[in-house]
Amino acid sequence: MASQKRVLLLCGDYVEDYEVMVPFQALLAYGLSVDAVCPGKKSGDICRTAIHDSNGHQTYSESRGYNFALNANFDEVDPTKYDGLVITGGRAPEYLAINESVINLVKKFQDLQKPIASICHGQLILAAAGSVKGRKCTAYPAVRPALIAAGAHWVEPDTMAFCTTDGNLITGATYEGHPEFIRLFIKALGAKISGSGKRILFLCGDYMKDYEVMVPFQSLQALECHVDAVCPGKLAGDICPTAVHDFEGDQTYSEKPGHNFTLTVDFEGLDVSSYDGLVIPGGRAPEYLALNESVIHLVKEFMESKKPVASICHGQQILSAAGVLKGKKCTAYPAVKLNVILGGGTWLEPEPIHKCFTDGNLVTGAAWPGHPEFVSQFMALLGVSVSF
């Protein structure tokens, strides 16, 4: 049996929110070990994240995101112990690119010819480390002058989902390209993806949880599944605003605005039978989606057909309203325990909060810290796997 692949994730304050959490949790879901580090910080410290979005202005907007918890010590990193490096984007790379310890770390990974995947503004660090000279690479367009000055062969991104490779180097323009970015990285590590091609539906709504839609959405896309997102009353190309729910010392979670999430298909006329599985994100959307008869009918159709269904956090409010929890063991965000019990489900305590459970065709999770288990258990029901 192959040993577990080990990846280093380079972080900093005001790293782009999706660009740190999506690869972190996706790689964990696939069975890799991931150490997230930041110079000057230790395991258990946090990096504040930034939510960058396109809102029709000449450049992206920024708002405060989550508090991302590091799980390893920067000063103890030994590049020879890792199989690859991921460099995140956002504003962090501006100051990380002038940190000698960071530059030396990246140079060591380059000297060892280990896969390096860098996204968005992360390529500023590659430029500072001299890792792009004579190499094809892309990035967020504003990074182009620095990359050209560093001797890179600039590849203009035709869309913000564009990625390119050159030897051990994988570069992407923005988080929109995460599916290809992550897939290229795990394949560079020797991954074999089995069971791809599954068709997955996400049931979305306004102010669903930001991470709880994007992390599983892009994690499944990266495994070459066809993933669609719908919302009642909305069309393909419409957006759902999302919510950032975090734990910041209050008796319950705080809320901040998240990214805008773009839907892929119309809700009306949807052929549910064409999908192999359903994902229900949490957040505030489920409390109103649970009142929608079309939503209830859709959920019942998936559950009655015994197709895999994965629901997280407050998503179980919809399952309860649909009457599909009777005889099922499940968990949820602790405040949703009442809905689960009233819906006839058997409550499973999420201790710790990242604990997820599978009962038959149903996967349930309590909150976004459980995404690695949540996505992994859903993959198992779908018959999708990653091996090395």
Side-chain angles (χ1 to χ4, degrees), residues 192-210:
K192 293 182 179 61
I193 301 168
S194 302
S196 58
K198 300 294 192 299
R199 289 175 53 82
I200 315 301
L201 185 67
F202 275 62
L203 179 56
C204 303
D206 288 343
Y207 300 104
M208 60 186 166
K209 192 85 64 65
D210 198 3

Side-chain angles (χ1 to χ4, degrees), residues 273-289:
S273 67
S274 71
Y275 292 93
D276 300 299
L278 173 69
V279 177
I280 306 175
R284 286 197 292 108
E287 66 178 13
Y288 84 86
L289 292 177

